[in-house]
Structures are given as C-alpha cells and as structure tokens.
Amino acid sequence: MLKRVHFGPSLLPFLLVAPQIAITIVFFIWPASQALYQSLLVEDAFGLKTEFVWFQNYSELFDDELYFDTVYRTAFFSSMVAFLSMSSALLLAGMADRVIKGAKVYRTFLIWPYAVAPVVAGALWMFMFDPTLGIVAYFLHAMGSNWNFRVNGDEAMALVIFAAAWKQISYNFLFFLAGMQAIPKSLIEAAAIDGAGPGRRFWTIIFPLLSPTTFFLLVMNIVYAFFDTFGIIHAVTKGGPAKATEILVYKVYNDGFIGLDLGGSAAQSVVLMTIVIVLTVIQFRYIENKVKY
Amino acid sequence: MAEILLADVYKSYGKTEVIHGVDWHIEDSEFVVIVGPSGCGKSTLLRMIAGLETITNGEISIGGRVVNDLEPAQRDIAMVFQNYALYPHMSVYNNMAYGLKIKGVPKAEIDQRVREAADRLEIGEYLGRSPRQLSGGQRQRVAMGRAIVRKPSVFLFDEPLSNLDAKLRVQMRLEIKKLQERLGITSVYVTHDQVEAMTLGHRLMILNDGYVEQLGTPIEIYENPLTKFVAGFIGSPSMNFIETRLEEDATTVKFSHKTSFRLAGSYPQFKGRNVSIGIRPEHFFFAPDNPEAIPFRAEVVEHLGADTLLHGTVDEGESELIVRFNGISTVTQGETVPVYIDPANIHIFDAQNGKRLEVE
C-alpha cells in the first residue's frame, strides 16, 4: 500500500481538477443522465406531449427482432474490423521493425491515415468504389464483377469494413511497432541460435510477448468499430442498402433523428453506454492484472 | 566437438573498420577467452562466429565447415548472453526445451535431456517456474542449461557473468570451468575482466581496438607480454610503467636523476632510445642489504589482508609506483623502504610503438 500524502486544507487542488470535472459533467454526466431520463419517456413526433412510461422502451427494444439483427451485424462488423486492421497492422509493424534504411519515411507514411477524419476516409472509399464513377469499381467491372454496393448489402458491408479497418491500421501499427521495439533483441537472437526461423520466431517469441499490446488494441478496436465508425458509415452507405450496414450506433441516430423515436433511441444509447462501460472495466482489470509474463 | 578457424577476418560497418584481420586456430575442446577493454570489438567477433553479424572479409569455419553464409541455427552452436535472454513467457523447462523442440527431437528424449541438464546445474526444482521468479544466479544457470541441452559443438559466452554480484561471479566462474572440462565442448568466452580471462581460458586473445595484441596461454601472456597494452591490461594491480631512456651502455635505465637500474640483458640496437620500463607490483621485494636497492617512499598503505599494496614514489615523486608485498606489511605511511626487482622480471617496451624489446 502506498502511504497517503496529507495536504492541508487548501483550495488549490480543487481548482486544479475543476476544469476536468467541468468537462466531464458537461460532456458526459449531463448528457448521459439526459439519455437515461429520456429512455424512460415516450414522446410524439412533434414534441407536443411526453409520457413517462418506465421501462417500456427497453422491453420493446428487447422484443424487437430487428434490434437483435443489428446487434449481430455490429458484432460481425466490429470483429471483422478489429481482425483486419490488427492483422494488417501486425504484418506491417513486423516488416517495419526489420527495415533499417528509410525506416522513418516508411513509418511516417504508415501513420498518415490516422490523421484522416472518419467522414473524409468514408468519402474517399465511397468515391473509389462508386459503381458509376469509382476507379476501383471500374477495374472490378472490367474483371467481370457486378460490383454495386448501393444495391448489394454484402458488398456494402465489405466496403465499410475495409474503410473502417484501413483507417484504424495506423493506430494499431504504432502500438505494435512500439511493442516490438520493446522486445530485447537478444531474445530474438537467442531464438535464432536455437534454430527458429523468422516465422517461428514471430509466433513463438514476438507474438506472445506482444500479448498485452494485442489485448489493449483488441478492446480499443472494438470500441472504435462500435462508435467511431459512424462517420464512415454515414458517408458511404447511410446504413443501407436496406439496413445492411446499420450498426448499433447508426441505428441510434437513425431511429432518434430520422425516425424521431427519441425514447427508443435513448434506450439504445443507454445499452451502448453499458457496453462501453463493460469494455472499459474489462480493459482496466485485465490489463492491470492478467496480461503479464 | 569441433575446432574453429578464423582466417583473416575483417568487420566493417560502412566505412568504419572495427575488426582488422584476425587469424586464430581454436583447437577442439579448447576453452579460449577473448579479452579486451569495452569497445575493442570482442563481442562483435563472437557474434560473427555465432552468425549474428555478417563477416565483411575473411573466413570462419567451425568443424571444418565454412560458416560465412550459414544462419546461426545451422552452425551447431549455443550462446549464453550477458542478459541471459531467457524467454520471459516460457517456463524454465520450456526455455531449455525450445531448441530441441524446433529440431524435432522426440518428446521423451527432450524430457530426459532437460532433466539431466537441470540436475547437473542444480535447477531441477525450478523447472516449472518462469524466469522472472528466479534470482540472477538461477537465471544464469538456466541460460547455461539452455545451451548444454542442445549438445552443440561450440559454446559461445558473451560476458555471461557481468550481471552477477562479485561472490556469485567467482562461484559461477568455477562452475563454468568445471562444466566445460567435463563436457569437453569447444568454448569461446568473451569478457572485459582479466581475472575471468586468466582463470578460465586455456588460451587468450587480447584484443584492442580491433587489433589482436597477443595470443597465448595465461602464463605466457603474464610473463611475456608482447606489447605495453597487454602488459598493462593483464595483472591486478596493473604493471608500473616508467618512461625513460636506454643509456648508451645499452643495459642501464634511469629511474630518476639519481637512481638507475641494470637490465638483465643488453639491447645495443636500441641504445639511446626512449623506452617504457614495466615492473609488476608483485615483483618488488624488500631488500635491506642490497646496495643496488631503490629507495621507495610509501605514501598510501592499503592492507588487503593477504597482501599489502603500497602506493608511493622514488626520489621525491619523480616516478610513481605501486608495490605489493605478501602478507601484512609493517611499512607505515611516509616510510622509505629499500626495494629491489630481479632484473629478469623487468619488461622493456619501445616508447613509440609499445612493442616489447627483445634481447639481441
């Protein structure tokens, strides 16, 4: 146990934490409590009357098969995004770790996509794959494919997955590269002398030693895919076609701001908030306690 | 079992040459030590034998096979690293079994070999632990165990004891020596510690700035250092050097303006030349009755128990010396004592190039 440090009664510590507290209250506590409160209300589309209905919004939500479709879709979407972006980042980091000449240039280029805003990234991919004017779509058509993500739900899903994964590669790359560089070189050399080739060294030495980083990134990527991909989906597909790319966070927006079912949308956002809280708790507990070697 | 042959081996990083041509024939089952100050290239040379560094020029062969283009894994070597390089996520058992598993040795044999090595190194009870649960000395043993289970034809040691405390270092040094003798595996050991080098090696290579200063057995090097660098590097406390001139008679040197000394031989071809006279502290002895004795004034007296070190000067500080007497000396600070050296124990080096002068 650390010994507690005692400060005399003073205003200073309170002043120092005040800005952070204020930000948390204004941008998290207050909207979160509003959402909680709103999730217990039913409001008509014109906002003329509001009725307090206890948990009716939730029971309707959990009875709704469409909602569970969205849950499964979100699970598929986020696991694909996490898997794709983490595996490509791992591959790139593995190669960047071996590069000696021009390593800095290589790394800088790999980090760039992270600086692109999600909506811009979405717009970029949308243009490239646009069935009528996209350059990639042009090649796909030339190869005989019938590519049109505006009518084919699976293709739309694939496109948003790729766009979302691409954008997250840089972030994962940075962490993986840092993790790899923290592994003592002599371990790799010892494995080389023990007879392990590059592939074997990677899977038996480097990958296990990266496990804390990998776990951290897994949680971060799921959180990213759940929430931060809104911009990409909004720019590329708007959740369509026929809700094929509507993930939970997009449904909150769609039901609340387009469908004007404010109570139901609030209930959904409370569910999402619970998911984030659970993920965060897992992250902290697991990272602090379990992932050690 | 293998002999190692280094033939005209060079190493450069870009334009900087760090190893300037090393030739050495290491016999089968020999224990050799590469010793030198830090940055002399000794680890680089070892890593070149291991295959962790490329060979810029020349040839290295192990067991009659040129290994220049072979991967470390194909060279049939095992290496013990300074920081042990144990795999932190594997148990001690798996650390030791890793190399055997890769080779595809059957499970039962792996088990038998790991347990045998563990018993030999007295780490049998730690097999299930992970490296971070072990002390420095135990980790050191695991690193050795990992090397011996593979039964390689060559052992390479890269300063394996420098992370241990002094007492453990002495103990492990002895164990390494015994182990190598019992297994009879050709070993190359790198260290900056001359005591380790002297005690472990059948033969030593003294490396300085990428140049081989001397090759030879510890005794040869101690008794007959070929350069001033070797003379100063081997021996503790290190050799006393007096910068002076060889007199015209080719056999006397001046210690100071009033004290001179006769050498054992005569060096007519070097007369009048500037020279360095080297005398080991342990070669001085107390000589009250010798008319040629040198008056040595002790300024600091260090009692080490087994012997006594006297730091002092000859003739009002003209030359500073360290003198070592066996046992507990009664000499006190400020006292002047007559000391003498057997002329046969005096080393003489050229002041310019540091090379030993040979009697003609």
Side-chain angles (χ1 to χ4, degrees), chain A residues 231-243:
Chain A
I232 291 173
I233 291 177
H234 195 56
V236 179
T237 63
K238 295 208 178 352
K243 297 201 184 298

Side-chain angles (χ1 to χ4, degrees), chain B residues 158-307:
Chain B
D158 190 4
E159 309 217 15
L161 303 183
S162 48
N163 285 359
L164 300 179
D165 62 59
K167 198 176 163 194
L168 209 51
R169 201 179 304 165
V170 174
Q171 188 192 337
M172 286 307 290
R173 193 170 80 201
L174 193 68
E175 282 188 34
I176 290 178
K177 193 177 169 75
K178 281 198 245 168
L179 195 70
Q180 196 274 341
E181 261 165 31
R182 203 163 38 192
L183 300 173
I185 293 175
T186 315
S187 302
V188 183
Y189 187 107
V190 159
T191 180
H192 63 266
D193 179 1
Q194 50 104 4
V195 180
E196 262 172 43
M198 296 290 281
T199 50
L200 284 172
H202 298 148
R203 280 196 303 148
L204 315 184
M205 170 191 282
I206 317 279
L207 204 60
N208 181 26
D209 221 2
Y211 291 98
V212 178
E213 294 271 340
Q214 190 168 358
L215 297 171
T217 64
I219 298 301
E220 271 167 22
I221 287 172
Y222 177 82
E223 287 187 334
N224 232 348
L226 291 183
T227 65
K228 191 180 164 189
F229 173 82
V230 174
F233 190 75
I234 296 293
S236 172
S238 59
M239 189 183 271
N240 296 295
F241 289 108
I242 298 138
E243 304 303 325
T244 179
R245 213 167 66 87
L246 190 62
E247 296 299 308
E248 288 302 320
D249 67 1
T251 186
T252 32
V253 286
K254 274 199 166 138
F255 250 63
S256 63
H257 67 279
K258 51 183 171 185
T259 315
S260 60
F261 205 89
R262 261 219 351 265
L263 299 172
S266 142
Y267 306 82
Q269 73 275 39
F270 299 115
K271 67 184 176 193
R273 198 87 78 88
N274 286 334
V275 292
S276 293
I277 300 296
I279 304 161
R280 296 201 182 278
E282 55 270 36
H283 287 150
F284 287 98
F285 56 88
F286 183 58
D289 307 324
N290 193 324
E292 286 184 49
I294 302 161
F296 171 76
R297 194 181 122 90
E299 279 160 8
V300 177
V301 179
E302 293 179 334
H303 288 287
L304 302 179
D307 42 34

Side-chain angles (χ1 to χ4, degrees), chain A residues 184-197 200-201 204-206 208-209 292-293, chain B residues 47 50 52 72-73 77-79 81 83 85-90 98-99 101-102 132 146 150:
Chain A
K185 225 177 150 228
S186 59
L187 283 182
I188 314 295
E189 290 172 351
I193 288 177
D194 268 344
R200 187 138 194 176
R201 291 203 288 270
T204 56
I205 309 290
I206 298 175
L209 292 180
K292 264 188 193 151
Y293 46 77
Chain B
R47 291 166 60 84
L52 299 172
I77 49 164
M79 185 157 166
F81 291 83
N83 61 2
L86 300 179
Y87 311 125
H89 57 299
M90 296 183 196
Y98 185 73
K101 276 185 197 160
I102 289 172
R132 76 192 148 93
R146 188 171 65 181
R150 291 187 30 226

Side-chain angles (χ1 to χ4, degrees), chain A residues 171-233:
Chain A
Y171 181 85
N172 296 340
F173 168 79
L174 272 182
F175 278 88
F176 275 133
L177 187 65
M180 282 179 189
Q181 289 182 338
I183 296 174
K185 225 177 150 228
S186 59
L187 283 182
I188 314 295
E189 290 172 351
I193 288 177
D194 268 344
R200 187 138 194 176
R201 291 203 288 270
F202 182 83
W203 289 114
T204 56
I205 309 290
I206 298 175
F207 191 66
L209 292 180
L210 278 178
S211 64
T213 311
T214 310
F215 182 76
F216 164 78
L217 284 178
L218 185 65
V219 175
M220 292 311 286
N221 277 272
I222 290 173
V223 170
Y224 161 79
F226 261 66
F227 302 98
D228 294 349
T229 49
F230 177 84
I232 291 173
I233 291 177

